[in-house]
Amino acid sequence: MTHDPTPPRVLHLIASPRRGSSSTAIGQAHLDELRRQHPGAHTETLDLWSLDLPSIDGDLLDAKYAILARRPHEPAQAQAWARVQALVAQFLSFDHYVFSVPMWNLGIPYRLKHYIDVITQPGLTFSWTPERGYEGLVHGRTAVVVYASAFDYTPGSPLRDWDQQKAFMTTWLRYIGIDAVEAIDAGPTRPSEPGAPAAREAAEARARQLAQGPFGVVDRMR
């Protein structure tokens, strides 16, 4: 158990709408162990399926392109952009992220993609210049991503080349500036698949292990 001079702030983002979701349960195991190791840690859960996300159209898109063109916002654009800024501010108020991500059609659930599209904005989570290209603005954070899939998509499996889930999440996190990322592979989760019980046990053990030590994954990645 660690007594933190500055208690860490941890956000668990749930991308599955299913009760009994493997990805959610394993992410929760990581949070539970963090709380045991760091009693002062502040943890919150964000259920993306109950979150009111703005549509990415009309005034919001115009607001984004006004920023890229360095034009001032019109009133309706400013109002739309304020909702984005509030969601980004919430995201940035945390030190460590736990993403519980099931595989949907080889990729990520559309609700998670919607959230990512809302908070991935110029001047807020990334920047671009002709000289330096893309640069992430979300520094000093860490992430654990729990990947659940019905079948085995790990390296060496016959299905590995079909996996678009892990590549997307890894690229996006790097894009916004989070390079300190640990993955937990929870596949296969289909009960009839050989090795499913062992995969679940190994995933939960890794989730707990990553939470141990002086804020576990965070300090080891600094």
Side-chain angles (χ1 to χ4, degrees):
M1 183 180 296
T2 301
H3 297 285
D4 307 291
T6 304
R9 291 176 55 81
V10 183
L11 180 63
H12 183 195
L13 299 102
I14 296 176
S16 174
R18 293 183 61 242
R19 293 181 179 178
S21 159
S22 294
S23 63
T24 301
I26 294 164
Q28 189 61 50
H30 180 70
L31 257 68
D32 291 343
E33 184 63 26
L34 275 176
R35 292 192 190 102
R36 282 191 287 270
Q37 297 293 329
H38 302 268
H42 174 84
T43 61
E44 290 187 20
T45 296
L46 185 61
D47 179 358
L48 297 177
W49 294 89
S50 62
L51 186 63
D52 181 20
L53 292 171
S55 297
I56 305 175
D57 56 14
D59 292 325
L60 197 157
L61 277 178
D62 289 341
K64 174 178 180 175
Y65 287 111
I67 289 175
L68 292 173
R70 300 182 179 179
R71 296 193 307 268
H73 282 153
E74 297 178 0
Q77 295 170 0
Q79 184 177 0
W81 196 247
R83 294 189 66 193
V84 170
Q85 289 177 307
L87 286 166
V88 172
Q90 178 195 31
F91 182 76
L92 295 180
S93 69
F94 292 90
D95 309 302
H96 179 56
Y97 306 103
V98 183
F99 292 88
S100 290
V101 185
M103 177 182 283
W104 282 21
N105 296 321
L106 307 177
I108 66 172
Y110 68 87
R111 192 65 173 172
L112 174 58
K113 182 60 166 59
H114 187 176
Y115 177 78
I116 287 172
D117 287 341
V118 170
I119 69 169
T120 308
Q121 299 291 354
L124 299 180
T125 50
F126 77 93
S127 66
W128 183 88
T129 61
E131 300 78 19
R132 300 174 66 91
Y134 289 113
E135 292 183 294
L137 300 178
V138 186
H139 301 300
R141 275 83 164 182
T142 57
V144 165
V145 188
V146 181
Y147 297 105
S149 54
F151 302 105
D152 181 6
Y153 291 85
T154 56
S157 73
L159 297 176
R160 180 67 180 88
D161 292 343
W162 292 95
D163 182 3
Q164 305 298 310
Q165 176 196 37
K166 301 177 188 66
F168 177 85
M169 288 298 297
T170 300
T171 301
W172 171 68
L173 288 165
R174 288 180 55 202
Y175 178 63
I176 64 171
I178 303 177
D179 294 314
V181 180
E182 287 280 0
I184 300 173
D185 199 321
T189 61
R190 189 178 183 185
S192 60
E193 282 296 295
R200 174 64 176 263
E201 183 178 346
E204 289 185 352
R206 179 162 171 76
R208 290 189 293 270
Q209 182 267 329
L210 286 173
Q212 294 170 3
F215 194 33
V217 68
V218 171
D219 274 14
R220 286 203 300 276
M221 289 180 171
R222 281 175 181 162

PDB file of all heavy atoms in Angstrom, residues 88 91-92 121-128 134-141 173-178:
ATOM      1  N   VAL A  88     -13.410  17.678 -23.177  1.00  0.00           N
ATOM      2  CA  VAL A  88     -11.954  17.585 -23.180  1.00  0.00           C
ATOM      3  C   VAL A  88     -11.392  17.926 -21.801  1.00  0.00           C
ATOM      4  O   VAL A  88     -10.487  17.254 -21.299  1.00  0.00           O
ATOM      5  CB  VAL A  88     -11.342  18.499 -24.257  1.00  0.00           C
ATOM      6  CG1 VAL A  88      -9.817  18.548 -24.124  1.00  0.00           C
ATOM      7  CG2 VAL A  88     -11.720  18.009 -25.650  1.00  0.00           C
ATOM      8  N   PHE A  91     -11.732  14.985 -19.579  1.00  0.00           N
ATOM      9  CA  PHE A  91     -10.755  13.956 -19.923  1.00  0.00           C
ATOM     10  C   PHE A  91      -9.366  14.326 -19.401  1.00  0.00           C
ATOM     11  O   PHE A  91      -8.663  13.492 -18.828  1.00  0.00           O
ATOM     12  CB  PHE A  91     -10.733  13.777 -21.445  1.00  0.00           C
ATOM     13  CG  PHE A  91      -9.793  12.712 -21.937  1.00  0.00           C
ATOM     14  CD1 PHE A  91     -10.118  11.377 -21.821  1.00  0.00           C
ATOM     15  CD2 PHE A  91      -8.583  13.053 -22.537  1.00  0.00           C
ATOM     16  CE1 PHE A  91      -9.254  10.391 -22.280  1.00  0.00           C
ATOM     17  CE2 PHE A  91      -7.720  12.080 -23.003  1.00  0.00           C
ATOM     18  CZ  PHE A  91      -8.053  10.748 -22.871  1.00  0.00           C
ATOM     19  N   LEU A  92      -8.978  15.570 -19.581  1.00  0.00           N
ATOM     20  CA  LEU A  92      -7.640  16.013 -19.205  1.00  0.00           C
ATOM     21  C   LEU A  92      -7.452  16.157 -17.698  1.00  0.00           C
ATOM     22  O   LEU A  92      -6.319  16.338 -17.243  1.00  0.00           O
ATOM     23  CB  LEU A  92      -7.316  17.344 -19.884  1.00  0.00           C
ATOM     24  CG  LEU A  92      -7.216  17.327 -21.406  1.00  0.00           C
ATOM     25  CD1 LEU A  92      -6.898  18.719 -21.932  1.00  0.00           C
ATOM     26  CD2 LEU A  92      -6.170  16.328 -21.874  1.00  0.00           C
ATOM     27  N   GLN A 121      -9.351  17.132 -30.940  1.00  0.00           N
ATOM     28  CA  GLN A 121      -9.600  18.412 -31.587  1.00  0.00           C
ATOM     29  C   GLN A 121      -8.323  19.258 -31.600  1.00  0.00           C
ATOM     30  O   GLN A 121      -7.519  19.209 -30.671  1.00  0.00           O
ATOM     31  CB  GLN A 121     -10.714  19.173 -30.863  1.00  0.00           C
ATOM     32  CG  GLN A 121     -12.052  18.465 -30.831  1.00  0.00           C
ATOM     33  CD  GLN A 121     -12.718  18.369 -32.194  1.00  0.00           C
ATOM     34  OE1 GLN A 121     -12.239  18.921 -33.186  1.00  0.00           O
ATOM     35  NE2 GLN A 121     -13.841  17.655 -32.262  1.00  0.00           N
ATOM     36  N   PRO A 122      -8.150  20.063 -32.662  1.00  0.00           N
ATOM     37  CA  PRO A 122      -6.956  20.911 -32.771  1.00  0.00           C
ATOM     38  C   PRO A 122      -6.891  21.945 -31.657  1.00  0.00           C
ATOM     39  O   PRO A 122      -7.900  22.554 -31.302  1.00  0.00           O
ATOM     40  CB  PRO A 122      -7.127  21.582 -34.142  1.00  0.00           C
ATOM     41  CG  PRO A 122      -8.605  21.543 -34.415  1.00  0.00           C
ATOM     42  CD  PRO A 122      -9.075  20.266 -33.790  1.00  0.00           C
ATOM     43  N   GLY A 123      -5.716  22.099 -31.096  1.00  0.00           N
ATOM     44  CA  GLY A 123      -5.528  23.064 -30.031  1.00  0.00           C
ATOM     45  C   GLY A 123      -5.934  22.571 -28.664  1.00  0.00           C
ATOM     46  O   GLY A 123      -5.626  23.215 -27.652  1.00  0.00           O
ATOM     47  N   LEU A 124      -6.623  21.425 -28.605  1.00  0.00           N
ATOM     48  CA  LEU A 124      -7.059  20.870 -27.331  1.00  0.00           C
ATOM     49  C   LEU A 124      -6.309  19.590 -26.987  1.00  0.00           C
ATOM     50  O   LEU A 124      -5.784  19.459 -25.882  1.00  0.00           O
ATOM     51  CB  LEU A 124      -8.570  20.607 -27.351  1.00  0.00           C
ATOM     52  CG  LEU A 124      -9.466  21.821 -27.579  1.00  0.00           C
ATOM     53  CD1 LEU A 124     -10.936  21.413 -27.578  1.00  0.00           C
ATOM     54  CD2 LEU A 124      -9.208  22.893 -26.525  1.00  0.00           C
ATOM     55  N   THR A 125      -6.281  18.653 -27.927  1.00  0.00           N
ATOM     56  CA  THR A 125      -5.566  17.398 -27.674  1.00  0.00           C
ATOM     57  C   THR A 125      -4.476  17.110 -28.702  1.00  0.00           C
ATOM     58  O   THR A 125      -3.700  16.179 -28.524  1.00  0.00           O
ATOM     59  CB  THR A 125      -6.556  16.204 -27.618  1.00  0.00           C
ATOM     60  OG1 THR A 125      -7.401  16.239 -28.782  1.00  0.00           O
ATOM     61  CG2 THR A 125      -7.421  16.273 -26.368  1.00  0.00           C
ATOM     62  N   PHE A 126      -4.435  17.875 -29.786  1.00  0.00           N
ATOM     63  CA  PHE A 126      -3.337  17.744 -30.741  1.00  0.00           C
ATOM     64  C   PHE A 126      -3.137  19.072 -31.449  1.00  0.00           C
ATOM     65  O   PHE A 126      -3.994  19.966 -31.414  1.00  0.00           O
ATOM     66  CB  PHE A 126      -3.602  16.626 -31.763  1.00  0.00           C
ATOM     67  CG  PHE A 126      -4.580  17.007 -32.852  1.00  0.00           C
ATOM     68  CD1 PHE A 126      -4.127  17.531 -34.066  1.00  0.00           C
ATOM     69  CD2 PHE A 126      -5.943  16.848 -32.689  1.00  0.00           C
ATOM     70  CE1 PHE A 126      -5.018  17.886 -35.085  1.00  0.00           C
ATOM     71  CE2 PHE A 126      -6.843  17.194 -33.687  1.00  0.00           C
ATOM     72  CZ  PHE A 126      -6.375  17.725 -34.884  1.00  0.00           C
ATOM     73  N   SER A 127      -1.985  19.213 -32.090  1.00  0.00           N
ATOM     74  CA  SER A 127      -1.709  20.397 -32.905  1.00  0.00           C
ATOM     75  C   SER A 127      -1.075  19.944 -34.211  1.00  0.00           C
ATOM     76  O   SER A 127      -0.604  18.800 -34.330  1.00  0.00           O
ATOM     77  CB  SER A 127      -0.777  21.367 -32.169  1.00  0.00           C
ATOM     78  OG  SER A 127       0.510  20.775 -31.983  1.00  0.00           O
ATOM     79  N   TRP A 128      -1.079  20.837 -35.187  1.00  0.00           N
ATOM     80  CA  TRP A 128      -0.437  20.558 -36.469  1.00  0.00           C
ATOM     81  C   TRP A 128       0.191  21.830 -37.012  1.00  0.00           C
ATOM     82  O   TRP A 128      -0.420  22.905 -36.975  1.00  0.00           O
ATOM     83  CB  TRP A 128      -1.438  20.017 -37.490  1.00  0.00           C
ATOM     84  CG  TRP A 128      -0.781  19.650 -38.801  1.00  0.00           C
ATOM     85  CD1 TRP A 128      -0.230  18.444 -39.130  1.00  0.00           C
ATOM     86  CD2 TRP A 128      -0.595  20.501 -39.933  1.00  0.00           C
ATOM     87  NE1 TRP A 128       0.289  18.492 -40.399  1.00  0.00           N
ATOM     88  CE2 TRP A 128       0.088  19.747 -40.929  1.00  0.00           C
ATOM     89  CE3 TRP A 128      -0.930  21.820 -40.212  1.00  0.00           C
ATOM     90  CZ2 TRP A 128       0.427  20.268 -42.164  1.00  0.00           C
ATOM     91  CZ3 TRP A 128      -0.582  22.355 -41.447  1.00  0.00           C
ATOM     92  CH2 TRP A 128       0.087  21.574 -42.414  1.00  0.00           C
ATOM     93  N   TYR A 134       1.934  16.616 -37.030  1.00  0.00           N
ATOM     94  CA  TYR A 134       1.049  16.384 -35.890  1.00  0.00           C
ATOM     95  C   TYR A 134       1.854  16.251 -34.602  1.00  0.00           C
ATOM     96  O   TYR A 134       2.888  15.577 -34.570  1.00  0.00           O
ATOM     97  CB  TYR A 134       0.242  15.105 -36.084  1.00  0.00           C
ATOM     98  CG  TYR A 134      -0.817  15.207 -37.159  1.00  0.00           C
ATOM     99  CD1 TYR A 134      -0.710  14.459 -38.326  1.00  0.00           C
ATOM    100  CD2 TYR A 134      -1.922  16.030 -36.998  1.00  0.00           C
ATOM    101  CE1 TYR A 134      -1.680  14.538 -39.318  1.00  0.00           C
ATOM    102  CE2 TYR A 134      -2.895  16.122 -37.987  1.00  0.00           C
ATOM    103  CZ  TYR A 134      -2.764  15.371 -39.135  1.00  0.00           C
ATOM    104  OH  TYR A 134      -3.721  15.455 -40.104  1.00  0.00           O
ATOM    105  N   GLU A 135       1.346  16.858 -33.553  1.00  0.00           N
ATOM    106  CA  GLU A 135       1.942  16.725 -32.225  1.00  0.00           C
ATOM    107  C   GLU A 135       0.833  16.586 -31.195  1.00  0.00           C
ATOM    108  O   GLU A 135      -0.109  17.381 -31.174  1.00  0.00           O
ATOM    109  CB  GLU A 135       2.804  17.940 -31.879  1.00  0.00           C
ATOM    110  CG  GLU A 135       4.063  18.057 -32.724  1.00  0.00           C
ATOM    111  CD  GLU A 135       4.929  19.227 -32.288  1.00  0.00           C
ATOM    112  OE1 GLU A 135       4.479  20.385 -32.438  1.00  0.00           O
ATOM    113  OE2 GLU A 135       6.043  18.973 -31.795  1.00  0.00           O
ATOM    114  N   GLY A 136       0.943  15.569 -30.351  1.00  0.00           N
ATOM    115  CA  GLY A 136      -0.036  15.394 -29.288  1.00  0.00           C
ATOM    116  C   GLY A 136       0.169  16.403 -28.181  1.00  0.00           C
ATOM    117  O   GLY A 136       1.296  16.818 -27.902  1.00  0.00           O
ATOM    118  N   LEU A 137      -0.918  16.772 -27.527  1.00  0.00           N
ATOM    119  CA  LEU A 137      -0.878  17.758 -26.455  1.00  0.00           C
ATOM    120  C   LEU A 137      -1.211  17.158 -25.091  1.00  0.00           C
ATOM    121  O   LEU A 137      -1.181  17.867 -24.084  1.00  0.00           O
ATOM    122  CB  LEU A 137      -1.863  18.900 -26.758  1.00  0.00           C
ATOM    123  CG  LEU A 137      -1.618  19.675 -28.053  1.00  0.00           C
ATOM    124  CD1 LEU A 137      -2.702  20.731 -28.246  1.00  0.00           C
ATOM    125  CD2 LEU A 137      -0.229  20.310 -28.078  1.00  0.00           C
ATOM    126  N   VAL A 138      -1.515  15.862 -25.057  1.00  0.00           N
ATOM    127  CA  VAL A 138      -1.905  15.213 -23.800  1.00  0.00           C
ATOM    128  C   VAL A 138      -0.663  14.522 -23.231  1.00  0.00           C
ATOM    129  O   VAL A 138      -0.409  13.348 -23.498  1.00  0.00           O
ATOM    130  CB  VAL A 138      -3.046  14.206 -24.013  1.00  0.00           C
ATOM    131  CG1 VAL A 138      -3.541  13.663 -22.672  1.00  0.00           C
ATOM    132  CG2 VAL A 138      -4.201  14.867 -24.769  1.00  0.00           C
ATOM    133  N   HIS A 139       0.105  15.257 -22.448  1.00  0.00           N
ATOM    134  CA  HIS A 139       1.375  14.750 -21.942  1.00  0.00           C
ATOM    135  C   HIS A 139       1.255  14.356 -20.468  1.00  0.00           C
ATOM    136  O   HIS A 139       0.364  14.814 -19.751  1.00  0.00           O
ATOM    137  CB  HIS A 139       2.463  15.806 -22.108  1.00  0.00           C
ATOM    138  CG  HIS A 139       2.672  16.231 -23.528  1.00  0.00           C
ATOM    139  ND1 HIS A 139       3.050  15.355 -24.515  1.00  0.00           N
ATOM    140  CD2 HIS A 139       2.523  17.444 -24.135  1.00  0.00           C
ATOM    141  CE1 HIS A 139       3.147  15.997 -25.655  1.00  0.00           C
ATOM    142  NE2 HIS A 139       2.825  17.267 -25.462  1.00  0.00           N
ATOM    143  N   GLY A 140       2.189  13.518 -20.028  1.00  0.00           N
ATOM    144  CA  GLY A 140       2.273  13.155 -18.622  1.00  0.00           C
ATOM    145  C   GLY A 140       1.182  12.230 -18.137  1.00  0.00           C
ATOM    146  O   GLY A 140       0.964  12.111 -16.925  1.00  0.00           O
ATOM    147  N   ARG A 141       0.482  11.582 -19.052  1.00  0.00           N
ATOM    148  CA  ARG A 141      -0.555  10.623 -18.667  1.00  0.00           C
ATOM    149  C   ARG A 141      -0.148   9.207 -19.081  1.00  0.00           C
ATOM    150  O   ARG A 141       0.741   9.016 -19.911  1.00  0.00           O
ATOM    151  CB  ARG A 141      -1.896  10.944 -19.338  1.00  0.00           C
ATOM    152  CG  ARG A 141      -2.742  11.962 -18.605  1.00  0.00           C
ATOM    153  CD  ARG A 141      -2.334  13.341 -18.943  1.00  0.00           C
ATOM    154  NE  ARG A 141      -3.350  14.315 -18.544  1.00  0.00           N
ATOM    155  CZ  ARG A 141      -3.238  15.604 -18.772  1.00  0.00           C
ATOM    156  NH1 ARG A 141      -2.180  16.090 -19.410  1.00  0.00           N
ATOM    157  NH2 ARG A 141      -4.179  16.440 -18.373  1.00  0.00           N
ATOM    158  N   LEU A 173      -3.904   6.956 -29.216  1.00  0.00           N
ATOM    159  CA  LEU A 173      -3.289   7.402 -27.972  1.00  0.00           C
ATOM    160  C   LEU A 173      -1.949   8.090 -28.247  1.00  0.00           C
ATOM    161  O   LEU A 173      -1.638   9.127 -27.651  1.00  0.00           O
ATOM    162  CB  LEU A 173      -3.116   6.224 -27.010  1.00  0.00           C
ATOM    163  CG  LEU A 173      -4.421   5.715 -26.386  1.00  0.00           C
ATOM    164  CD1 LEU A 173      -4.225   4.351 -25.742  1.00  0.00           C
ATOM    165  CD2 LEU A 173      -4.958   6.712 -25.354  1.00  0.00           C
ATOM    166  N   ARG A 174      -1.171   7.548 -29.152  1.00  0.00           N
ATOM    167  CA  ARG A 174       0.096   8.201 -29.518  1.00  0.00           C
ATOM    168  C   ARG A 174      -0.175   9.539 -30.204  1.00  0.00           C
ATOM    169  O   ARG A 174       0.543  10.516 -29.996  1.00  0.00           O
ATOM    170  CB  ARG A 174       0.896   7.302 -30.455  1.00  0.00           C
ATOM    171  CG  ARG A 174       1.511   6.081 -29.796  1.00  0.00           C
ATOM    172  CD  ARG A 174       2.289   5.266 -30.802  1.00  0.00           C
ATOM    173  NE  ARG A 174       3.295   6.081 -31.479  1.00  0.00           N
ATOM    174  CZ  ARG A 174       3.824   5.780 -32.667  1.00  0.00           C
ATOM    175  NH1 ARG A 174       3.399   4.703 -33.326  1.00  0.00           N
ATOM    176  NH2 ARG A 174       4.744   6.553 -33.186  1.00  0.00           N
ATOM    177  N   TYR A 175      -1.208   9.586 -31.006  1.00  0.00           N
ATOM    178  CA  TYR A 175      -1.568  10.797 -31.756  1.00  0.00           C
ATOM    179  C   TYR A 175      -1.858  11.970 -30.831  1.00  0.00           C
ATOM    180  O   TYR A 175      -1.494  13.117 -31.119  1.00  0.00           O
ATOM    181  CB  TYR A 175      -2.777  10.471 -32.629  1.00  0.00           C
ATOM    182  CG  TYR A 175      -3.354  11.591 -33.448  1.00  0.00           C
ATOM    183  CD1 TYR A 175      -2.607  12.202 -34.450  1.00  0.00           C
ATOM    184  CD2 TYR A 175      -4.672  12.008 -33.260  1.00  0.00           C
ATOM    185  CE1 TYR A 175      -3.155  13.221 -35.224  1.00  0.00           C
ATOM    186  CE2 TYR A 175      -5.227  13.018 -34.028  1.00  0.00           C
ATOM    187  CZ  TYR A 175      -4.463  13.629 -35.010  1.00  0.00           C
ATOM    188  OH  TYR A 175      -5.006  14.634 -35.776  1.00  0.00           O
ATOM    189  N   ILE A 176      -2.507  11.698 -29.686  1.00  0.00           N
ATOM    190  CA  ILE A 176      -2.817  12.784 -28.755  1.00  0.00           C
ATOM    191  C   ILE A 176      -1.722  12.961 -27.704  1.00  0.00           C
ATOM    192  O   ILE A 176      -1.845  13.829 -26.836  1.00  0.00           O
ATOM    193  CB  ILE A 176      -4.190  12.594 -28.082  1.00  0.00           C
ATOM    194  CG1 ILE A 176      -4.224  11.343 -27.205  1.00  0.00           C
ATOM    195  CG2 ILE A 176      -5.298  12.588 -29.121  1.00  0.00           C
ATOM    196  CD1 ILE A 176      -5.490  11.232 -26.344  1.00  0.00           C
ATOM    197  N   GLY A 177      -0.668  12.158 -27.761  1.00  0.00           N
ATOM    198  CA  GLY A 177       0.483  12.382 -26.894  1.00  0.00           C
ATOM    199  C   GLY A 177       0.672  11.403 -25.764  1.00  0.00           C
ATOM    200  O   GLY A 177       1.551  11.590 -24.921  1.00  0.00           O
ATOM    201  N   ILE A 178      -0.128  10.327 -25.711  1.00  0.00           N
ATOM    202  CA  ILE A 178       0.015   9.337 -24.643  1.00  0.00           C
ATOM    203  C   ILE A 178       0.802   8.146 -25.193  1.00  0.00           C
ATOM    204  O   ILE A 178       0.263   7.301 -25.921  1.00  0.00           O
ATOM    205  CB  ILE A 178      -1.358   8.880 -24.105  1.00  0.00           C
ATOM    206  CG1 ILE A 178      -2.166  10.082 -23.619  1.00  0.00           C
ATOM    207  CG2 ILE A 178      -1.182   7.871 -22.975  1.00  0.00           C
ATOM    208  CD1 ILE A 178      -3.570   9.737 -23.144  1.00  0.00           C
TER     209      ILE A 178
END
